[in-house]
Amino acid sequence: MVAAEKPPHPSRPAADPPSPTRGEGARRADEGGDAAIGRHLLSYARSMCRQPTEAERRLWQLPRDRRFGLLRLWNNDILARPGNVAEGIWAALENPR
């Protein structure tokens, strides 16, 4: 007599799914799955942008009040001369326009 296999516990899947290989398995919120959740998250994110917290309002007011000038940084300068770029940033912060 062969013993019948016991079914898996309801909280565990019958078999563990294979791990996704590199670059596979990740999805955007609006791809597949429960589209209602993706729409809900998008709606929530938009409401957070339109209605910032008091701390966020005050944080963004700081640069507006000081009227900081524009500081342009180029990728090749950051990669080739990071020390000079850091000095430029500090100088701009110490002497705002």
Side-chain angles (χ1 to χ4, degrees), residues 8-84:
H9 189 274
S11 67
R12 302 183 104 209
D16 290 332
S19 297
T21 59
R22 185 175 178 184
E24 293 180 3
R27 292 186 179 175
R28 294 186 342 209
D30 62 345
E31 290 181 334
D34 190 352
I37 292 174
R39 285 191 301 274
H40 173 72
L41 289 175
L42 183 59
S43 173
Y44 179 70
R46 287 180 176 156
S47 72
M48 292 296 291
C49 286
R50 284 190 294 265
Q51 301 168 358
T53 65
E54 182 61 25
E56 289 170 326
R57 255 191 303 280
R58 287 187 186 188
L59 175 67
W60 283 109
Q61 196 62 41
L62 292 173
R64 290 184 188 123
D65 287 347
R66 294 185 185 222
R67 308 283 184 235
F68 287 127
L70 180 66
L71 180 63
R72 294 185 189 264
L73 303 171
W74 302 101
N75 290 344
N76 61 329
D77 290 332
I78 294 169
L79 296 172
R81 294 176 288 283
N84 291 350

